[in-house]
Amino acid sequence: MADHDATPVFQIQRMYLKDLSLEQPNSPQILLEQQQPQVDINLSMGASGIGEGVFEVSVTATVTTKVKDRTLFLIEAKQAGIFEIRNVPEDQLQGILSIVCPQMIYPYLRAIVSDVCTRAGFPPILLTEVNFQAMFEAQQAAQAQNGNGSGVLTSAN
């Protein structure tokens, strides 16, 4: 029975939209502008333990769209998931939390951002694919260079 207790476990408990905000601070006047807007997209990620072997992982997209120096719209969406991860070595746990979980969450976030843009009356913004493994490896390399070994990727642009 002891062998069964050591079996690695990875299960999605729940996916959910944790936070969503849309701002159009210069509407309706800015909607009459004919210029192509500038789009800035930032992504951040976070992971935290919420119980024994249970983790919340979130991916946040902040999309800022401007015409000249005025904001056309700003969307911030945070998609999260609760994952049960047990009996996994610590070095593998960091990769699961920073690569596997965000890869599962990200398609939901992409759909939400696109849908919010459309519902706000703008053309959809399609977030590009993200290589979470490359982001994690870059974070690990930066931590090794700085002597910080915390492991979990918490933000990326």
Side-chain angles (χ1 to χ4, degrees):
M1 192 70 173
D3 287 54
H4 182 343
D5 292 343
T7 302
V9 173
F10 177 81
Q11 294 182 5
I12 301 169
Q13 298 296 320
R14 175 174 231 129
M15 292 278 192
Y16 57 100
L17 178 61
K18 186 164 184 165
D19 189 21
L20 177 63
S21 126
L22 166 68
E23 297 175 26
Q24 294 186 48
N26 295 299
S27 293
Q29 295 81 6
I30 199 164
L31 298 174
L32 301 175
E33 294 282 340
Q34 297 299 316
Q35 282 189 309
Q36 187 73 353
Q38 300 168 305
V39 179
D40 181 43
I41 300 170
N42 289 305
L43 290 178
S44 63
M45 299 182 335
S48 61
I50 57 174
E52 182 64 35
V54 181
F55 301 85
E56 179 191 54
V57 178
S58 63
V59 181
T60 303
T62 303
V63 179
T64 307
T65 308
K66 293 185 174 190
V67 173
K68 299 178 185 171
D69 62 342
R70 297 183 332 173
T71 301
L72 179 60
F73 66 87
L74 170 70
I75 296 173
E76 184 170 85
K78 180 186 277 190
Q79 182 73 26
I82 298 174
F83 298 88
E84 180 181 1
I85 308 169
R86 299 181 190 277
N87 304 321
V88 174
E90 184 66 27
D91 61 329
Q92 291 179 13
L93 176 63
Q94 299 308 318
I96 292 169
L97 292 173
S98 299
I99 300 167
V100 177
C101 296
Q103 284 175 334
M104 298 175 93
I105 294 168
Y106 190 65
Y108 294 93
L109 181 65
R110 290 180 74 202
I112 288 164
V113 169
S114 178
D115 187 50
V116 169
C117 288
T118 303
R119 290 179 185 269
F122 300 104
I125 293 199
L126 302 174
L127 300 178
T128 60
E129 290 295 326
V130 174
N131 185 337
F132 289 101
Q133 181 167 348
M135 289 171 57
F136 176 67
E137 289 170 0
Q139 176 81 8
Q140 293 293 90
Q143 288 173 352
Q145 189 175 25
N146 296 335
N148 177 358
S150 69
V152 176
L153 178 65
T154 55
S155 111
N157 289 333

